[in-house]
Amino acid sequence: MTVSSEPADLRAGAEAQQQAAIDAPAPAYVPACPGAGKTHVITARHLQAPAQLLRQGRALISFTRVARDQMALRCRQAGRADLVQAPHFIGTLDSFLWEFLVKPRRAAQPVARLLESWASVKAPVQEVDREISLHRFPMTLDPDSAQEEVAWDKLSYDTTRTLGGSVYSRESWRQRILATRDSWCRQGYFTGHEVRVLALWNLRNPVASERLLPPLRSRFAEVIVDEAQDCSTADLAILQLLHDAGLPLVLVGDPDQAIYAWRGAEPAALETFAARLSSAPHRLTGNWRSSPAICRLAATLRAGQRPPDTSVLQGEDAPIVLLPTRFAAAGSRHLHAPTGTGIVDVFRTIAQEYGIQAEGCLVTAYKYATLPGITRERPNTNTITRLAWARTVAHTPGASSDDLTRACDIAVRALFGYWFPEEAGGPDRICAAHRLPVSQANRTAFAFLHSLPAPHREWSSEVWQAMKAWPPLEGAAPQGAKGRLAGQPATARPVVSTGVRTNIVHQLKGDEADGVLLLLPDSGSAQRWATEDPATNELLRVWYVAVTRARRLAALAVPENETDAFVGLLTYRNIPVRVA
């Protein structure tokens, strides 16, 4: 074990950085390294009363409900439940824009509702020659012109293939996609994309902004935005307008963790905006999570040739483990090259050498297809494939509660599509209309899901027979073949649980584990790591997020023929390495 001779000095320096960020007057920018204690800084700042006497509220904004709930929990644990209530606000960016910049300008009827996505309602694109759900068409927004476009280059393979047989042109589809979306908006339904369109319009419209901005300025002494690197260019344009209107902003984030370019998040745009916001950023470079070796490894994956962050804890300093691997098309068949053993089993054994049990291990990769274990639900797939995934989850020992909840939701929507074919809205609204307990709908749907046979090529016909035979809930009114699920499912097979968590990197923000294994199946990974610039290559930033989830042990599964190149790369950077 390597122990620093100056642990108290390291801790004091990191705490001083945190306190400076807590005390910094708004507007301010706080670039924070992984493990820097961002949530502590934000909640500690919130526990201090704002300096202004006339504006007592503070808004704490995040991009996930998990982060929102963590900030609220820490306030309650400090005995300050009042800081979770008005005039304060703790929530996601979507909910903040909705509550303060969009909803006040909506008519009382129809009742306006914010959806997580169009997948929450049955919304097929209308007046075309094939049925494709609205949620399968991602949209982009130009913040300068407020022009919306369909992100054709981001369509899933299934959607692109379905469109390929249509007699309608892309422009015709575009018009009908927007028309379908607008029809749902007229019924009071909106997603985060529409919220941003309306927020920008309201802030730039003199009449609307005159009604929206004074209440915001009088209520909030400042607005803190967590994970600011996830802001899209549209989000930054909205924040710029709020800043220009006199609303004090505090941005907390790490541009090196910007991994959502597909949503319009650009590290350079954040840096430009932050420079206008504050000329002196309050940097947090003390890492309270990871060992010194992991901090040095992470430094090789970020822009600017900056020195490694300071490992405050300075405990056990295990070397970075390299696992020569023969990668297969399916994640459950990745083999450790020297032994022919499954790569996850090898990683778990090595972790035990450092006192890390299976439940403390995490295996991650850039793509779902690379991961071992159950095939993950993929976005924008057809309904029969999602149901096949859900059925597999229901029959998989050790499936996570999140996966089980999502599987049940898929089954509810499939049954409701058959039982209530003419009713708009999601299951919650249908249950309310028929006075059905949501718990009853969930139990019924999960029992139906568990009863289904294993997916196969002709599975949809068996699902259809099962749907017709299943006892319906009260108020159900099936109409012929409406709601029938067609097509061939991409089947997923359950596997024996290893006890090790798996997830793609994009789902790991805010997560951490004692031991982390990053799978790097692509040839040329060592060359990319050594020579490309993280400022322009998002994949390197994805790897950066992955390795910085590790507390004590970081391992890389690399192509067998690139092992020596990785050894040379890490050794050159003075990073301890072990080939196992």
Side-chain angles (χ1 to χ4, degrees):
M1 177 180 293
T2 301
V3 180
S4 169
S5 60
E6 301 176 332
D9 292 341
L10 295 175
R11 181 183 295 268
E15 289 176 343
Q17 287 183 338
Q18 290 181 335
Q19 192 60 49
I22 292 169
D23 296 335
Y29 175 45
V30 182
C33 75
K38 292 190 296 83
T39 303
H40 164 73
V41 168
I42 292 171
T43 52
R45 186 181 180 96
H46 191 35
L47 290 169
Q48 294 184 175
Q52 293 89 337
L53 296 178
L54 298 179
R55 296 187 290 180
Q56 295 299 312
R58 183 183 273 113
L60 275 55
I61 299 174
S62 66
F63 279 84
T64 66
R65 286 175 292 183
V66 172
R68 172 202 66 189
D69 294 344
Q70 181 61 226
M71 290 187 290
L73 175 63
R74 294 198 183 192
C75 289
R76 294 189 178 98
Q77 289 175 336
R80 294 296 307 276
D82 58 300
L83 294 180
V84 183
Q85 304 166 358
H88 308 289
F89 173 88
I90 301 180
T92 63
L93 180 60
D94 281 12
S95 61
F96 178 83
L97 300 179
W98 174 251
E99 290 295 333
F100 299 109
L101 297 179
V102 175
K103 194 174 177 181
R105 296 285 297 167
R106 304 304 304 169
Q109 295 294 331
V111 176
R113 296 189 62 180
L114 175 61
L115 306 175
E116 286 193 15
S117 83
W118 291 118
S120 302
V121 295
K122 294 179 289 184
V125 178
Q126 301 168 339
E127 300 178 8
V128 282
D129 58 351
R130 56 207 57 218
E131 183 173 305
I132 304 180
S133 296
L134 184 59
H135 77 272
R136 294 171 69 179
F137 295 98
M139 303 290 293
T140 62
L141 172 63
D142 183 337
D144 295 325
S145 65
Q147 180 69 36
E148 300 175 85
E149 286 295 340
V150 178
W152 300 110
D153 60 329
K154 294 181 174 63
L155 298 185
S156 69
Y157 172 77
D158 287 342
T159 304
T160 301
R161 185 177 59 179
T162 304
L163 276 177
S166 175
V167 300
Y168 286 86
S169 66
R170 283 276 175 98
E171 179 56 27
S172 296
W173 272 95
R174 175 186 176 277
Q175 293 176 11
R176 286 160 174 76
I177 290 166
L178 292 175
T180 300
R181 188 279 308 272
D182 291 345
S183 70
W184 280 93
C185 290
R186 287 192 292 272
Q187 298 176 58
Y189 292 92
F190 302 88
T191 71
H193 172 80
E194 289 73 40
V195 165
R196 284 157 175 78
V197 174
L198 292 171
L200 277 171
W201 190 91
N202 286 339
L203 287 172
R204 288 170 175 165
N205 180 279
V207 175
S209 62
E210 186 59 32
R211 292 188 57 185
L212 293 171
L213 291 174
L216 277 175
R217 285 194 295 259
S218 65
R219 174 170 176 171
F220 294 120
E222 66 183 29
V223 174
I224 304 177
V225 181
D226 187 22
E227 300 288 2
Q229 76 276 356
D230 294 340
C231 287
S232 67
T233 52
D235 297 334
L236 293 177
I238 293 170
L239 293 176
Q240 180 69 64
L241 291 168
L242 293 176
H243 172 68
D244 294 343
L247 201 63
L249 300 180
V250 177
L251 302 188
V252 183
D254 181 4
D256 295 312
Q257 296 188 62
I259 60 173
Y260 295 104
W262 59 274
R263 281 196 326 215
E266 301 175 2
L270 171 62
E271 295 284 11
T272 299
F273 177 62
R276 293 196 298 266
L277 193 71
S278 173
S279 59
H282 300 272
R283 296 191 178 277
L284 302 180
T285 60
N287 188 320
W288 298 77
R289 173 190 300 155
S290 301
S291 70
I294 295 170
C295 288
R296 292 201 294 276
L297 177 68
T300 68
L301 284 168
R302 63 186 185 190
Q305 300 293 316
R306 305 196 310 276
D309 297 316
T310 301
S311 177
V312 177
L313 301 182
Q314 291 286 301
E316 180 181 20
D317 198 13
I320 306 304
V321 176
L322 294 179
L323 300 177
T325 304
R326 292 197 294 268
F327 288 97
S332 58
R333 294 194 290 272
H334 299 327
L335 299 179
H336 181 231
T339 64
T341 308
I343 198 65
V344 174
D345 292 332
V346 172
F347 171 60
R348 185 174 55 181
T349 299
I350 292 173
Q352 288 177 341
E353 296 178 15
Y354 295 95
I356 302 171
Q357 300 305 310
E359 58 270 20
C361 294
L362 171 67
V363 178
T364 188
Y366 177 60
K367 298 177 181 178
Y368 277 126
T370 305
L371 287 173
I374 183 174
T375 300
R376 299 283 171 162
E377 184 198 11
R378 298 176 183 174
N380 301 324
T381 53
N382 58 30
T383 305
I384 195 69
T385 292
R386 291 199 299 275
L387 190 66
W389 174 87
R391 190 269 177 198
T392 302
V393 169
H395 286 264
T396 298
S400 70
S401 59
D402 287 344
D403 280 349
L404 289 169
T405 299
R406 176 60 184 154
C408 186
D409 180 68
I410 290 170
V412 169
R413 292 181 187 281
L415 283 175
F416 276 29
Y418 170 59
W419 285 339
F420 307 99
E422 298 299 320
E423 299 193 34
D428 289 350
R429 178 166 287 193
I430 294 173
C431 284
H434 292 273
R435 297 183 178 179
L436 295 170
V438 173
S439 58
Q440 181 186 4
N442 289 337
R443 288 195 301 271
T444 300
F446 195 81
F448 165 77
L449 185 65
H450 203 273
S451 74
L452 294 175
H456 55 85
R457 288 178 62 85
E458 306 301 326
W459 190 59
S460 60
S461 61
E462 294 188 22
V463 171
W464 175 236
Q465 295 304 319
M467 291 174 71
K468 292 193 294 183
W470 201 259
L473 294 178
E474 185 176 350
Q479 295 184 16
K482 288 187 176 181
R484 179 172 184 172
L485 308 183
Q488 294 180 358
T491 59
R493 293 181 174 85
V495 297
V496 177
S497 175
T498 64
V500 175
R501 286 193 297 134
T502 64
N503 214 335
I504 60 168
V505 181
H506 286 84
Q507 298 297 323
L508 294 180
K509 283 292 191 71
D511 203 350
E512 58 184 37
D514 283 334
V516 172
L517 171 63
L518 171 61
L519 304 175
L520 299 174
D522 297 332
S523 61
S525 293
Q527 178 74 8
R528 184 175 294 111
W529 192 310
T531 63
E532 297 192 20
D533 185 0
T536 56
N537 189 324
E538 187 181 67
L539 181 58
L540 297 183
R541 300 197 297 271
V542 171
W543 295 349
Y544 175 81
V545 170
V547 300
T548 56
R549 302 309 93 191
R551 287 191 286 259
R552 297 168 52 199
L553 175 67
L556 307 175
V558 302
E560 181 180 10
N561 63 348
E562 296 191 23
T563 305
D564 290 344
F566 270 101
V567 170
L569 168 65
L570 300 186
T571 302
Y572 177 75
R573 299 294 188 94
N574 297 316
I575 298 170
V577 60
R578 169 190 173 187
V579 178

